[in-house]
């Protein structure tokens, strides 16, 4: 199986001015594509060659000798999930079914946003900030580098906090990028779809 770079679910300029077309073009066309291309090279002719992307991530996790395969497969998966976690019509209020779950988990939507932003801003170095579902409750967690949430946690949405996600637009101000994502871009509908998956 040759893994393909998924198309962005919107135009490169659709998230401006919060994420520029230049950032999105490089992030998708160079960074994400680089992970997919490298993965295809690494797995050609190996036991991973016939597996789905999710299966490659699972099968290569936690083993030093397959760390390069894991890193590229996980980054390919994480980026595809990140594009869908954003929307040109995002931000605003979560749909009612998701709001109920957020309020049961964090007390309020504001508290959820605050906690996700805290996780995103405090993630040291490169990584990801997630909302995940665990035992019927939503939690905010960070993962480093290419790492994905543990198998028992169901990812609902993710924010890329690698510098390549925001540096051209927000320089070193990761908090400004995270706030813009939460205010204007976060795709609550996608998060709700993932609750039911
Ligand atoms: Fe990225």
């Amino acid at each position: 199986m040759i893994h393909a770079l998924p198309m962005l679910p919107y135009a490169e300029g659709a998230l401006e001015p919060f994420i520029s077309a230049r950032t999105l073009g490089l992030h998708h066309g160079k960074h994400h594509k680089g992970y997919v291309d490298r993965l295809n090279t690494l797995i050609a002719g190996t036991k991973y060659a016939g597996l789905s992307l999710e299966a490659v991530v699972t099968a290569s996790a936690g083993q030093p000798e397959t760390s390069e395969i894991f890193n590229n497969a996980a980054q390919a998966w994480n980026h595809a999930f990140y594009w869908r976690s954003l929307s040109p019509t995002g931000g605003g209020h979560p749909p009612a079914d998701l709001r109920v779950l957020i309020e049961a988990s964090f007390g309020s939507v504001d508290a959820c946003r605050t906690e996700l932003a805290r996780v995103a801003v405090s993630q040291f170095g490169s990584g990801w900030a997630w909302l995940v579902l665990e035992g019927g409750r939503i939690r905010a967690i960070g993962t480093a580098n290419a790492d994905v949430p543990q198998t028992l946690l169901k990812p609902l949405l993710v924010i890329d906090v690698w510098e390549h996600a925001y540096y051209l637009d927000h320089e070193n101000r990761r908090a400004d990028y995270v706030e813009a994502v939460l205010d204007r871009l976060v795709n609550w509908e996608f998060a709700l779809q993932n609750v039911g998956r």
Side-chain angles (χ1 to χ4, degrees):
M1 177 187 294
I2 297 292
H3 297 281
L5 177 68
M7 286 180 56
L8 285 173
Y10 30 73
E12 282 183 3
L15 306 183
E16 291 192 334
F18 314 106
I19 298 175
S20 65
R22 178 162 161 73
T23 291
L24 212 53
L26 289 167
H27 199 173
H28 177 253
K30 302 289 184 189
H31 291 273
H32 190 179
K33 182 175 188 298
Y35 296 126
V36 172
D37 288 350
R38 182 70 186 139
L39 175 66
N40 283 324
T41 301
L42 287 168
I43 64 176
T46 74
K47 65 177 181 180
Y48 298 98
L51 303 180
S52 69
L53 186 57
E54 291 80 359
V56 176
V57 171
T58 305
S60 61
Q63 305 157 65
E65 64 276 17
T66 55
S67 63
E68 195 181 1
I69 290 176
F70 171 81
N71 285 335
N72 284 280
Q75 284 296 80
W77 192 91
N78 289 346
H79 281 89
F81 198 77
Y82 169 61
W83 309 134
R84 299 170 69 202
S85 296
L86 306 177
S87 164
T89 57
H93 302 289
D97 287 352
L98 183 62
R99 180 169 50 79
V100 169
L101 194 53
I102 287 174
E103 288 173 350
S105 306
F106 293 92
S108 68
V109 173
D110 270 357
C112 172
R113 282 181 43 133
T114 301
E115 178 60 7
L116 181 57
R118 187 193 66 74
V119 167
V121 172
S122 65
Q123 175 64 40
F124 188 76
S126 295
W128 302 83
W130 306 80
L131 286 185
V132 298
L133 193 64
E134 181 185 34
R137 290 177 82 84
I138 301 180
R139 290 172 52 203
I141 64 163
T143 63
N145 300 315
D147 284 354
V148 296
Q150 295 162 25
T151 323
L152 294 177
L153 308 179
K154 183 192 280 193
L156 303 183
L157 65 82
V158 74
I159 304 172
D160 189 340
V161 296
W162 286 56
E163 285 184 346
H164 65 226
Y166 60 87
Y167 212 86
L168 292 175
D169 303 325
H170 303 275
E171 299 179 340
N172 60 319
R173 298 181 303 277
R174 186 191 288 181
D176 290 1
Y177 154 74
V178 169
E179 188 177 309
V181 167
L182 290 173
D183 278 348
R184 307 299 291 269
L185 301 177
V186 69
N187 188 346
W188 293 120
E189 294 288 346
F190 178 62
L192 179 59
Q193 288 164 26
N194 289 321
V195 169
R197 248 175 215 136

